[in-house]
Each structure stands twice: as C-alpha cells, then as structure tokens.
Amino acid sequence: MNGTEVKTATGRVLRFDEGIPGFPEAREFVLHDLDEAGTFQVLQSVENPEIALVVCSPWLLVPDYEAVLSEDDERELALTDPDDAVVFCAVTLDEAARAFHLNLLGPFVVNARTQRGRQVVLTESGHPVRHTVHLDDDTTD
C-alpha cells in the first residue's frame, strides 16, 4: 500500500458497492479537501450529501502504518498492483478532550485505477484500533 492521496475532480466518483458501515444505501462518494494542503478531506455521499465523513491518509500521522489486506479484500477491489491501493482513515473529533482519533483498523481502501472502494477490517496489524492526536500539545497515543 502506498500513501498516495485520492484526488477526485468534479464528476469523479468513488464507488463503494457495499455502501459503508452505518450507511449501506450510500454507494457513491466524492472527496473534497478541507484544507489547502489536502491533509483532511471529506468523503461525501453523492446520493445524500448529508452523509459525510472526515478522512485523512494514515501515513501523515502514523508514518509506520501498514495496511495488510486479506486476499478477499484484494480480490473484491481487483487489486493486482499494491501501488493502485489508496488508503484513508476516518477521523473522529473529540471536542471535550481537544483531540481527534484516526480509525487505523477500519480504513477505506480504493483501487485508484477503477475508483472502486470498500471499508476493510485489518486483522493483521500491530496498530491500535484508534490513534489519538491531542490538539493542545501535539502528542499522540
């Protein structure tokens, strides 16, 4: 897997055939940058624009992140070249703790060639379920 970011131009749609957990009816999404650097993006449903998740590349915050996909996930995504796999993780804001969390074990994986994706569950990972970044002191857990 590489740290390449998916950039979706207007009209470029990412297709999640199974939907995403919690929103199985939402199958087509676009990515919008939240900041000029493209660090954080919004994965937004085409069918229902109210369905949107903040995501980012895990390598920006966890440089040693490794996503080992199962053979089933690779087959479902038609990934024949690891460089075609683009990975991004959901970001959850915790305002009370002045922190945000990255879901490391349930990343979204998109085949950059076909624009088809799915949320996978990583079973072979040394990473915790979530990675926390504290906004006040730039520390991580």
Side-chain angles (χ1 to χ4, degrees):
M1 302 304 136
N2 65 28
T4 306
E5 294 178 15
V6 172
K7 300 278 188 188
T8 55
T10 303
R12 186 91 175 199
V13 175
L14 303 177
R15 174 91 181 151
F16 289 78
D17 292 328
E18 301 165 4
I20 60 173
F23 305 103
E25 72 285 355
R27 296 174 187 252
E28 294 186 340
F29 291 82
V30 292
L31 281 172
H32 302 284
D33 287 341
L34 273 180
D35 57 8
E36 286 186 27
T39 304
F40 295 98
Q41 299 170 314
V42 174
L43 182 65
Q44 185 173 34
S45 168
V46 171
E47 298 96 344
N48 182 353
E50 291 181 11
I51 298 172
L53 303 165
V54 175
V55 296
C56 79
S57 170
W59 289 277
L60 296 174
L61 299 166
V62 185
D64 65 340
Y65 183 73
E66 188 175 2
V68 178
L69 300 182
S70 70
E71 288 182 14
D72 287 341
D73 287 328
E74 287 179 1
R75 186 173 35 262
E76 287 292 322
L77 291 167
L79 286 169
T80 55
D81 183 348
D83 288 337
D84 287 339
V86 181
V87 179
F88 45 93
C89 296
V91 176
T92 306
L93 182 63
D94 183 345
E95 290 184 66
R98 298 225 4 98
F100 64 88
H101 312 287
L102 222 59
N103 177 349
L104 296 180
L105 295 186
F108 295 96
V109 180
V110 173
N111 182 325
R113 196 175 28 80
T114 66
Q115 298 298 299
R116 295 219 180 263
R118 70 186 305 184
Q119 186 172 20
V120 302
V121 176
L122 301 178
T123 56
E124 296 181 35
S125 172
H127 298 291
V129 171
R130 67 182 196 181
H131 176 80
T132 301
V133 176
H134 299 278
L135 298 173
D136 292 331
D137 57 14
D138 292 333
T139 61
T140 61
D141 301 338

